Amino acid sequence: MSQAVLILIKPDGLKKSLTGNILTRLSETKLEIVAAKMVRVTDKLAQEHYKHLKDKPFFSELVKYVKGELHDRRKVMALIYWGNDAIEKCRDLAGATNPEQAEPTSIRGSYGRILTSGLYENVIHVSSNEAEAEREIKLWFLPEEIIVDLYPVKEITIRDLKRQDWD
Ligand code: DAT
Ligand code: MG
């Protein structure tokens, strides 16, 4: 069954120059990339993305982490992969949440670490199920940024919208 999954290369992955490596690993899945962009993560986006963890003791550090405040890299790379069993395939390659418990050859097992504070710095995010994937994809992307039709859309008319164009 075709599925979409949100992948984030987190600030530690970018700082460690792992982008090419991670994309190569993900290409083993033979899934299709249907959207990709660099994102400057706002506080609101970070908090919304990890809202299921807001009561955890590590939440505020997790928000700082995904915003890039721990790595002086205020960006993440966001991608949508699409195809058969996309979530399971990508989560298998990513490895367990705790990098110490992750399969050593997985992305997190190879490149993740646990900070002294206890936070798992685990290089990539992968949506954990279809409902989460839909919620996250709608949070990170606009319909026009995705090259396939994943979810129903509505037409809206925006009046007096100021935008930038190339000079
Ligand atoms: P995953 O990213 O594998 O879906 P999650 O959604 O439960 O895991 O947690 C989101 C992130 O929060 C995770 O990638 C790293 C951090 N995290 C989760 N559980 C943690 C814990 N017990 N201690 C420290 N950091 C944790
Ligand atoms: Mg998760």
Side-chain angles (χ1 to χ4, degrees), residues 10 50 52-53 58 62 91 97 108 118-120 122 125-126 128:
K10 295 180 182 180
Y50 281 129
H52 61 295
L53 298 169
F58 55 82
L62 180 61
R91 280 195 76 94
T97 305
R108 287 166 165 181
L119 186 74
Y120 303 157
N122 56 12
H125 168 82
V126 183
S128 53

Side-chain angles (χ1 to χ4, degrees), residues 109-129:
S110 302
Y111 305 115
R113 61 176 182 163
I114 303 179
L115 301 186
T116 314
S117 67
L119 186 74
Y120 303 157
E121 195 182 273
N122 56 12
V123 186
I124 64 168
H125 168 82
V126 183
S127 313
S128 53
N129 57 54

Side-chain angles (χ1 to χ4, degrees):
M1 182 199 27
S2 269
Q3 279 179 336
V5 60
L6 178 80
I7 305 278
L8 302 176
I9 302 181
K10 295 180 182 180
D12 52 324
L14 297 176
K15 185 158 186 170
K16 291 173 175 169
S17 264
L18 292 171
T19 309
N21 188 302
I22 290 168
L23 296 181
T24 301
R25 296 296 310 276
L26 288 167
S27 71
E28 289 168 24
T29 62
K30 308 228 170 52
L31 297 165
E32 193 182 336
I33 298 173
V34 295
K37 63 179 177 180
M38 301 304 299
V39 183
R40 179 144 299 197
V41 182
T42 62
D43 204 53
K44 193 169 168 230
L45 176 59
Q47 301 228 16
E48 190 62 28
H49 178 74
Y50 281 129
K51 70 177 185 189
H52 61 295
L53 298 169
K54 70 175 188 322
D55 297 327
K56 300 282 184 193
F58 55 82
F59 181 69
S60 64
E61 211 180 358
L62 180 61
V63 166
K64 277 193 197 159
Y65 167 36
V66 77
K67 285 171 73 184
E69 288 178 18
L70 307 182
H71 297 89
D72 206 22
R73 285 282 189 291
R74 311 229 164 192
K75 60 190 172 189
V76 304
M77 187 171 190
L79 304 108
I80 303 172
Y81 280 77
W82 188 74
N84 253 350
D85 297 325
I87 295 173
E88 194 187 332
K89 284 177 182 161
C90 292
R91 280 195 76 94
D92 279 355
L93 268 182
T97 305
N98 179 342
E100 212 169 79
Q101 287 168 2
E103 181 72 31
T105 56
S106 68
I107 295 167
R108 287 166 165 181
S110 302
Y111 305 115
R113 61 176 182 163
I114 303 179
L115 301 186
T116 314
S117 67
L119 186 74
Y120 303 157
E121 195 182 273
N122 56 12
V123 186
I124 64 168
H125 168 82
V126 183
S127 313
S128 53
N129 57 54
E130 271 192 41
E132 274 294 281
E134 179 172 349
R135 184 186 80 82
E136 293 171 359
I137 286 169
K138 289 177 173 175
L139 184 62
W140 287 80
F141 285 91
L142 292 168
E144 68 202 32
E145 295 174 318
I146 307 171
I147 56 112
V148 290
D149 297 330
L150 292 179
Y151 312 112
V153 294
K154 63 181 178 204
E155 297 248 299
I156 55 169
T157 305
I158 300 168
R159 287 193 300 129
D160 304 326
L161 176 70
K162 266 198 188 168
R163 299 192 62 169
Q164 287 188 337
D165 196 1
W166 305 118
D167 200 2

